[in-house]
Amino acid sequence: KFAAGTHTHAGTHTHAHTDTHKLHARTHTHSTHAMTSAALFCKCLHGHSSTVSSVAVTPDGQHVVTGSEDFKVRVWSLASEHEVRQLEGHTMSVRSVAVTPNGQHIVSGSEDATVRVWSLSSGEEVRRLKGHTWVVVTVAVTPDGRHVVSGSDDATVRVWSLASGEEVRRFEGHTWWVMSVAVTPDGQHVVSGGADRKVCVWSLANGVEVRRFEGHSAGVISAVVPPDGRHVVS
């Protein structure tokens, strides 16, 4: 489990630890029904100079990727607990990070209104996806690794080609900030949650909104799809 400071649109922060400049990784040494103090330990990854807003883990489980309000993306070795790479280029806070399914690239979204794609091995910026007109709050990658999905305070969800960096689809339907995006396991649909209290489901192929769920009394800051793809949890 990973706990770090998170930022909300209301301008408040929620923290799982009083020091938001650290990333705390809690790892089970073995699987048991009864948790004991010996079965849990904490690794503190030090380096960011401001709140850690997003974390991701590479598919091989060897590295942790973090995005921070210090404008940086950092890559850490989970085994050594050391920073192995620092990705610099964003000019404002990094709000979201994701890793491609093949583990070769990192995707980050920032308050500078850009989505950036980085080489995990070299740390170089390989793509800059520009089009959003306001803060990029959330990013995701499709299961086939071909597309990046981003949600923004400009109330749009956009789909980008990872290979070319071009915007290939734009979903418009939210009336306020888009706060969360996820892709279904089969790669056919995108799920978005917004400050307008709606959860929308979109066809990735044609951009049509196929479902809308309403009922929340406040903004939807997170929406996920379980592995079986049958439900949306928000």
Side-chain angles (χ1 to χ4, degrees):
K1 298 179 182 179
F2 301 92
T6 58
H7 188 278
T8 68
H9 284 273
T12 60
H13 297 271
T14 58
H15 309 295
H17 193 281
T18 55
D19 188 343
T20 62
H21 304 167
K22 302 174 184 176
L23 177 71
H24 298 265
R26 292 175 172 82
T27 308
H28 294 277
T29 56
H30 53 82
S31 178
T32 60
H33 291 291
M35 177 57 63
T36 66
S37 59
L40 189 68
F41 64 92
C42 182
K43 297 181 179 181
C44 296
L45 311 179
H46 304 262
H48 284 295
S49 59
S50 189
T51 301
V52 176
S53 54
S54 183
V55 298
V57 180
T58 55
D60 61 9
Q62 294 186 21
H63 294 93
V64 174
V65 180
T66 57
S68 169
E69 291 185 359
D70 64 9
F71 307 176
K72 296 179 176 64
V73 176
R74 297 178 191 244
V75 182
W76 314 79
S77 166
L78 196 54
S80 70
E81 306 173 33
H82 293 147
E83 178 185 315
V84 297
R85 201 147 285 113
Q86 188 173 143
L87 316 181
E88 297 186 70
H90 282 296
T91 58
M92 296 183 72
S93 299
V94 178
R95 296 292 298 275
S96 183
V97 293
V99 182
T100 56
N102 63 10
Q104 294 182 7
H105 294 96
I106 295 167
V107 179
S108 58
S110 168
E111 291 184 5
D112 63 13
T114 68
V115 177
R116 305 195 189 206
V117 182
W118 315 79
S119 166
L120 180 62
S121 60
S122 69
E124 294 181 358
E125 181 184 322
V126 296
R127 293 278 184 279
R128 188 176 303 185
L129 315 180
K130 299 177 71 173
H132 283 295
T133 58
W134 209 359
V135 174
V136 178
V137 180
T138 176
V139 296
V141 182
T142 56
D144 61 9
R146 295 176 57 194
H147 296 96
V148 173
V149 181
S150 58
S152 169
D153 280 358
D154 66 11
T156 69
V157 176
R158 305 189 190 214
V159 181
W160 315 80
S161 165
L162 190 62
S164 68
E166 295 181 356
E167 180 184 318
V168 297
R169 199 87 67 231
R170 185 182 305 183
F171 306 152
E172 297 178 301
H174 284 287
T175 56
W176 212 356
W177 306 318
V178 177
M179 305 171 78
S180 177
V181 294
V183 184
T184 55
D186 61 10
Q188 294 186 19
H189 296 92
V190 172
V191 178
S192 58
D196 57 6
R197 301 178 292 182
K198 300 181 180 72
V199 176
C200 299
V201 181
W202 314 83
S203 166
L204 186 62
N206 59 28
V208 173
E209 183 183 335
V210 296
R211 293 280 189 283
R212 178 176 295 190
F213 303 112
E214 300 183 70
H216 283 292
S217 58
V220 180
I221 61 173
S222 183
V224 296
V225 182
D228 64 8
R230 297 174 57 191
H231 300 90
V232 174
V233 182
S234 60

